[in-house]
């Protein structure tokens, strides 16, 4: 039986991060990873604050979340409101509409906001997420959520018995095509050059009887009045332009991690994602990362939230060590 934590349910939603305070932990980002990190840090008794451009992160761009355990079907906006309310009940200060422009990692971690303030903490938890890489063609923006998707794990089940196009040639695209082949009637995988995916995935792709492969083919337009009806594609070797019919198009050409504020201070992988250990440890002690911005696989809400919890618990261990070391030093003096 657990002890209950005393909550102040009347906490003011306007409490913001104070630049004059040295925090135990500052979280950058208020998506699932950042909000859950702050919740866990606060419940461990850390003095924690959140700095973020937009509370809710990518989930706000998700019309309907259907794969979050226990919540069946909830709009992205409603889910993030629940997250935010939960964190605010613990009186965690949240400064939204602050873009972190730069961090510096000296004795204290300093976070430079675009509001001109420098915020300081003993530890940092980076949860700045990613942006899906876009095709940049006509119809993509207009038909987003109406057949255009950037997440096959999230939206694949809507296409049972239908025809879908997967765009891309890396592991994400080939993995998505293999998974979709079990759900959809036909999968067309379209890649503007050759495949870059691992052989084991490509073998699985070639085993599927309902997958058509179009290499050296670029998509130039997504077609449809109110929902996706197909794409226009050009064979880059022959120059032949043709129409491909489809009910949905999954753009799986990668993510752009939001690490601009780090100025190369942390180790990243070839995709620019922050390299982390199993509990969110980065290459710099006292700096942790969680969620989509890390090199962890499977960019999903529940995974980002779990990452946030792990990073906060690890930050708490770090703070415990720091406090016992400084206590030891005081005893010696
Ligand atoms: C269209 C779409 C649909 C999706 N559907 C689903 C779904 O149905 N189910 C599912 O499980 N997953 C879904 N996902 C994936 C899911 O949204 C992500 O895995 C999840 O949001 C990642 O959480 P995060 O906290 O790591 O990052 P994000 O949600 O991206 O949050 C990042 C946070 O960092 C802030 N930030 C970034 N840079 C800075 C900066 N320099 N300064 C200050 N703040 C900054 C942002 O404002 C934001 O608050 C979907 C993703 C997309 C794009």
């Amino acid at each position: 039986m657990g002890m209950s934590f005393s909550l102040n349910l009347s906490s003011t939603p306007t409490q913001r991060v104070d630049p004059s305070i040295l925090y135990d932990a500052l979280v950058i980002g208020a998506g699932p990873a950042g909000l859950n990190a702050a919740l866990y840090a606060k419940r461990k008794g850390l003095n924690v604050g959140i700095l973020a451009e937009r509370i809710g992160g990518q989930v706000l761009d998700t019309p309907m979340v259907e794969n979050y355990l226990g919540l069946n079907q909830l709009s992205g906006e409603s889910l993030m409101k629940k997250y935010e309310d939960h964190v605010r009940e613990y009186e965690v200060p949240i400064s939204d509409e602050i873009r972190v422009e730069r961090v510096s990692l000296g004795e204290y971690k300093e976070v430079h906001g675009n509001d001109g303030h420098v915020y300081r903490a003993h530890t940092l938890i980076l949860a700045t997420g990613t942006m899906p890489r876009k095709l940049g063609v006509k119809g993509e923006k207009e038909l987003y959520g109406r057949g255009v998707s950037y997440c096959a794990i999230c939206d694949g089940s809507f296409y049972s018995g239908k025809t879908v196009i997967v765009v891309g040639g890396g592991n994400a695209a080939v993995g998505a095509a293999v998974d979709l082949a079990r759900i959809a009637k036909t999968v067309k995988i379209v890649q503007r050059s050759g495949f870059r995916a691992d052989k084991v995935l490509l073998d699985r792709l070639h085993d599927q009887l309902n997958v058509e492969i179009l290499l050296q083919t670029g998509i130039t337009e997504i077609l449809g009045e109110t929902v996706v009806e197909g794409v226009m594609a050009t064979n880059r070797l022959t120059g032949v332009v043709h129409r491909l019919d489809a009910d949905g198009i999954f753009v799986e050409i990668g993510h752009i991690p939001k690490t601009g504020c780090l100025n190369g201070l942390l180790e990243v992988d070839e995709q620019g994602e922050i390299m982390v250990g199993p509990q969110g440890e980065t290459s710099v002690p006292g700096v942790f990362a969680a969620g989509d911005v890390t090199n962890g696989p499977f960019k999903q809400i529940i995974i980002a939230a779990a990452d946030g919890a792990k990073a906060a618990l690890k930050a708490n261990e770090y703070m415990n060590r720091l406090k016992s070391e400084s206590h030891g030093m005081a005893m010696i003096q």
Side-chain angles (χ1 to χ4, degrees), residues 147-186:
V148 175
S149 169
Y150 300 94
C151 182
I153 300 176
C154 316
D155 299 332
S157 66
F158 298 132
Y159 293 88
S160 171
K162 301 199 167 166
T163 297
V164 295
I165 290 171
V166 176
V167 190
N171 284 339
V174 173
V178 169
D179 291 346
L180 285 164
R182 284 196 293 270
I183 299 167
K185 184 174 71 149
T186 307

Side-chain angles (χ1 to χ4, degrees), residues 52 60 108 157 159 215 261 283 300 310 317:
L60 292 182
Y108 305 123
S157 66
Y159 293 88
L215 298 179
C261 61
S283 52
Q300 290 285 282
K310 284 192 284 181
E317 281 181 16

Side-chain angles (χ1 to χ4, degrees), residues 28-34 51-59 61-62 64-67 98-101 127-130 132 144 150-151 154-155 258 261 290-293 299-302 304:
I28 308 179
L51 298 156
E53 266 185 305
R54 184 169 77 138
I55 300 175
Q58 291 171 71
V59 184
D61 304 327
T62 310
M64 196 57 73
V65 178
E66 300 201 346
N67 58 358
I98 301 271
R99 191 179 64 253
V100 172
E101 295 188 320
T128 45
T130 57
Y144 166 66
Y150 300 94
C151 182
C154 316
D155 299 332
K258 294 190 179 170
C261 61
D292 280 14
V293 76
K299 312 296 187 197
Q300 290 285 282
I301 299 167
I302 204 159

